[in-house]
Amino acid sequence: MDFTLELKQVTFKYTGIGGSEHSVLDHLNLRFDQQECTAIIGPSGSGKTTLIQHFTGLLKPISGQVLFNGRDIWGKQFSRKDLRRHIGLVFQFPEAQLFEETVFKDIAFAPQKQELPAEQVTGRVKEAMAAVGLEYTVFAERSPFKLSEGEKRRTAIAGVLAMEPALVVFDEPTAGLDADGIHRFSMIVDTLVQKKTAVIFITHNMEFVAQVARRVIVLKKGQVLFDGKPCDLFTNPSLIEQAEVQIPPVVHYLSSGKSPLAGNINAHNGRQKIWRRIEKIARNLNLEASE
Amino acid sequence: MIQIENLSFTYSDEGTVSRTILDNVSLTIKPGEAVAIMGPNGSGKTTFARCLNGLLLPASGTVLIDGLDTRDQAQLPEIRRKIGMVFQNPDNQIVSATVEREIAFGLENLGVPCAEMHEIVDNMLTEFNLQHYRLHAPHYLSGGEKQRLALAAVMAMRPRYLALDEPTSLLDPKSRADILHIIKQLHCRQNHPVTTLLITQFPDEALHADRLLVFHNGRILMDDAPARVFSRVDELLAIGLEPPLEFVLK
């Protein structure tokens, strides 16, 4: 679905003990209008989570505007309840929000609230489960509390996808996941991008940024330090230093011209997954990964 | 010394089905070691850590901390004094209204005299670089600062052993480096060096340990120097773990 989300001069402050004010977002301007995959990075306290809470009106800016499809989300006529159907927010550790008796009921909760016909609800649940890699016949009737941690997280994500939002925003989706879990999450992102759903995610995982992000926004002290392509971030050492991140080893290998794929193209099983990922990173960053 | 013999742990599901989380694990950890623990999600790492201080009790087998058995209720306070725990999310661990009180919390429970308590709290604030936050509410700290506070509160009780369950997984790269540096310092320092057990998903963090344990399906699959474990690339990939890239490319 086409949409535009614009932040104009957005400023937000928290009030601390004794009324001391702490500025978190400082006259921030951003625009999202493509069905693309955007990473938001930056040191702790740079305003990342506060920023995404402004997208759906969970926080109200002290000054400035948030516009969805050109309309001020804090305007009198605007329904923020509807907005939350179009923008799905997946918080850190979303599995903590599971509450229903079965996986099906948990994922169906939001579409049922929209009063869709039963078969449409089932269709949405099936599609959302497929997108996160949970087989319907195996998981639908199970209790979400008896799943593995990774399965719980995917159930929670499916609950957001079942609303069929135009934009899904994830806060630290790969935190605490093992290599397989991160791989699975990258497949969820691929599926969303294919379905023309826009994805924005906050992360500290730079390899993941190199792998899936088409656009990177670096926040620092509540301002946009950089907004552009990941290849332009990873080839700019002074920017990397200001962003307080490190270039992932795989990007070093790719840019050193050592050609890590050489001789490995016939590798088996586990290794092949790694080469495919390296190839993907190379493509995304426009770096050579020739054999 | 931590001595674990034939430790098994099962969760029961509605009283009928039981799931084995730890399966006959035996292991000795000597004082002074820096041990890293890796394994796929669900391999039993966290359950293992929780068995160390008696948060969970073995279904069978024994866990001895300096000879004290975790199944002996009377020994639990002493065991928990010996082995400090730091979890992934400091929000689940921090209980007090101010930074200073959080550090004093464990000491109060141990009945440490007031003057000594003040001295320890001051030392901890300095050692963990939290002196500017003494009277701050913990929820105003950043993630990295909160994790430093959780560590300070645990270290105030001078444990011999420190078990850390993915303490950096929520932190930004700089805070992650800070916490790792602190853990290394605690292990190497002259006064009260600590034996550390670091559970992690980051292979680069495990590289710094003396010894790396790889858990899989509730068993210890590998137990060796990190570089030697990471050289077994295909075996690790087969269970869904990835060694650092340099080992994969060798």
Side-chain angles (χ1 to χ4, degrees), chain A residues 56-88:
Chain A
T56 58
L58 286 177
L59 291 175
K60 188 177 180 181
I62 285 174
S63 62
Q65 282 184 307
V66 180
L67 306 170
F68 186 71
N69 292 336
R71 294 173 61 213
D72 188 335
I73 70 164
W74 291 97
K76 279 207 177 94
Q77 305 297 316
F78 195 89
S79 162
R80 283 182 297 282
K81 204 173 151 197
D82 282 349
L83 175 65
R84 288 170 197 154
R85 285 218 308 262
H86 300 304
I87 303 179

Side-chain angles (χ1 to χ4, degrees), chain B residues 44-235:
Chain B
K45 308 181 296 291
T46 293
T47 303
F48 175 75
R50 286 173 185 203
C51 284
L52 292 177
N53 72 347
L55 277 178
L56 296 174
L57 296 177
S60 61
T62 50
V63 177
L64 300 178
I65 309 295
D66 292 338
L68 306 175
D69 192 326
T70 58
R71 286 173 308 180
D72 183 350
Q73 277 285 333
Q75 308 283 14
L76 277 182
E78 187 56 26
I79 288 173
R80 288 181 185 158
R81 197 181 169 156
K82 282 179 180 292
I83 178 156
M85 296 269 283
V86 173
F87 301 96
Q88 183 178 45
N89 191 346
D91 287 337
N92 297 341
Q93 175 155 16
I94 293 171
V95 293
S96 307
T98 66
V99 166
E100 174 179 68
R101 293 187 70 92
E102 179 66 25
I103 298 175
F105 182 80
L107 300 171
E108 278 176 341
N109 287 346
L110 293 174
V112 173
C114 199
E116 194 187 334
M117 192 156 74
H118 278 296
E119 195 190 320
I120 298 175
V121 169
D122 285 346
N123 289 343
M124 288 297 136
L125 286 168
T126 313
E127 183 170 356
F128 291 88
N129 198 18
L130 293 164
Q131 59 274 46
H132 303 302
Y133 299 119
R134 179 188 282 271
L135 297 173
H136 278 54
H139 62 269
Y140 282 108
L141 304 184
S142 75
E145 288 159 354
K146 278 188 213 169
Q147 199 58 292
R148 285 213 304 274
L149 173 58
L151 256 171
V154 167
M155 291 311 298
M157 294 186 282
R158 289 196 178 156
R160 276 191 93 183
Y161 307 95
L162 183 61
L164 306 117
D165 191 358
E166 300 196 30
T168 66
S169 69
L170 292 176
L171 305 183
D172 64 294
K174 193 168 165 290
S175 311
R176 182 155 91 90
D178 281 352
I179 293 288
L180 283 180
H181 181 71
I182 291 173
I183 296 169
K184 240 185 274 178
Q185 291 271 299
L186 292 173
H187 177 252
C188 301
R189 66 183 178 179
Q190 294 287 317
N191 279 335
H192 308 285
V194 242
T195 304
T196 52
L197 287 99
L198 173 67
I199 298 176
T200 181
Q201 292 291 1
F202 297 106
D204 56 317
E205 292 185 1
L207 262 181
H208 301 294
D210 302 326
R211 178 177 175 194
L212 171 57
L213 309 176
V214 176
F215 274 69
H216 182 239
N217 287 340
R219 290 165 181 256
I220 296 179
L221 194 68
M222 299 180 200
D223 176 359
D224 209 337
R228 289 165 65 143
V229 168
F230 287 139
S231 304
R232 296 160 72 175
V233 176
D234 290 308
E235 284 170 84

Side-chain angles (χ1 to χ4, degrees), chain A residues 15-17 43-44 92-93 146 175-180 204 244-245 249-250 253 260 268 270-271 274-275 277-278, chain B residues 13-14 40-41 88-89 135 137 140 142 166 169-175 201 233-234 237 240 242 245-246 248-249:
Chain A
T15 309
I17 296 170
S44 297
Q92 270 185 31
F93 300 105
K146 300 206 170 132
L177 295 182
D178 59 17
D180 264 9
H204 294 306
E244 297 178 23
V245 295
V250 58
Y253 279 104
H268 51 88
R271 286 183 191 246
I274 298 180
W275 309 136
R277 192 172 77 223
I278 295 176
Chain B
D13 220 12
E14 284 164 358
N41 289 133
Q88 183 178 45
N89 191 346
L135 297 173
Y140 282 108
S142 75
E166 300 196 30
S169 69
L170 292 176
L171 305 183
D172 64 294
K174 193 168 165 290
S175 311
Q201 292 291 1
V233 176
D234 290 308
L237 290 175
E242 266 189 43
L245 194 62
E246 68 233 54
V248 181
L249 296 176

Side-chain angles (χ1 to χ4, degrees), chain A:
Chain A
M1 191 192 101
D2 287 330
F3 74 96
T4 60
L5 175 66
E6 267 176 290
L7 284 81
K8 286 188 173 169
Q9 297 288 320
V10 166
T11 295
F12 187 81
K13 291 174 183 165
Y14 286 111
T15 309
I17 296 170
S20 66
E21 284 196 333
H22 176 59
S23 184
V24 188
L25 299 177
D26 185 6
H27 296 90
L28 201 103
N29 292 303
L30 278 172
R31 184 185 166 94
F32 302 94
D33 56 4
Q34 303 274 326
Q35 280 92 42
E36 65 182 0
C37 182
T38 305
I40 300 176
I41 68 170
S44 297
S46 59
K48 304 183 295 295
T49 299
T50 304
L51 170 66
I52 64 168
Q53 288 177 340
H54 279 79
F55 291 173
T56 58
L58 286 177
L59 291 175
K60 188 177 180 181
I62 285 174
S63 62
Q65 282 184 307
V66 180
L67 306 170
F68 186 71
N69 292 336
R71 294 173 61 213
D72 188 335
I73 70 164
W74 291 97
K76 279 207 177 94
Q77 305 297 316
F78 195 89
S79 162
R80 283 182 297 282
K81 204 173 151 197
D82 282 349
L83 175 65
R84 288 170 197 154
R85 285 218 308 262
H86 300 304
I87 303 179
L89 224 52
V90 182
F91 295 100
Q92 270 185 31
F93 300 105
E95 54 274 24
Q97 295 166 46
L98 296 170
F99 67 102
E100 277 284 10
E101 286 166 10
T102 68
V103 167
F104 181 92
K105 284 186 187 172
D106 213 292
I107 300 172
F109 182 77
Q112 264 162 359
K113 281 267 171 191
Q114 292 175 38
E115 292 171 5
L116 298 174
E119 66 267 35
Q120 215 177 325
V121 171
T122 308
R124 292 251 190 130
V125 173
K126 282 184 172 168
E127 202 177 324
M129 287 180 72
V132 299
L134 289 173
E135 206 175 316
Y136 184 81
T137 50
V138 177
F139 288 97
E141 293 309 315
R142 288 179 62 183
S143 161
F145 300 101
K146 300 206 170 132
L147 305 178
S148 76
E149 290 306 303
E151 289 159 357
K152 279 184 196 168
R153 188 171 297 187
R154 284 185 277 145
T155 302
I157 293 173
V160 173
L161 301 189
M163 293 190 292
E164 299 196 339
L167 165 65
V168 189
V169 185
F170 296 93
D171 194 351
E172 294 265 10
T174 65
L177 295 182
D178 59 17
D180 264 9
I182 295 175
H183 174 69
R184 278 176 189 281
F185 183 72
S186 77
M187 296 201 300
I188 295 175
V189 172
D190 289 346
T191 308
L192 289 173
V193 170
Q194 268 166 24
K195 288 202 300 192
K196 303 275 181 210
T197 304
V199 175
I200 297 176
F201 63 93
I202 292 176
T203 192
H204 294 306
N205 183 336
M206 290 308 119
E207 184 172 313
F208 196 70
V209 171
Q211 188 186 339
V212 303
R214 304 297 296 168
R215 175 183 176 191
V216 190
I217 294 167
V218 182
L219 284 193
K220 192 161 185 184
K221 295 183 178 154
Q223 295 184 321
V224 176
L225 183 69
F226 172 83
D227 182 356
K229 290 193 175 122
C231 56
D232 294 328
L233 169 69
F234 291 127
T235 51
N236 186 336
S238 86
L239 194 59
I240 287 283
E241 201 184 314
Q242 288 178 72
E244 297 178 23
V245 295
Q246 274 162 358
I247 298 173
V250 58
V251 175
H252 274 305
Y253 279 104
L254 285 168
S255 40
S256 71
K258 265 192 224 152
S259 188
L261 296 192
N264 283 311
I265 210 68
N266 293 320
H268 51 88
N269 46 49
R271 286 183 191 246
Q272 224 170 33
K273 209 190 266 175
I274 298 180
W275 309 136
R276 273 200 294 271
R277 192 172 77 223
I278 295 176
E279 275 182 313
K280 202 172 158 194
I281 291 169
R283 268 200 310 278
N284 197 31
L285 299 180
N286 298 318
L287 291 166
E288 277 301 308
S290 58
E291 288 169 51

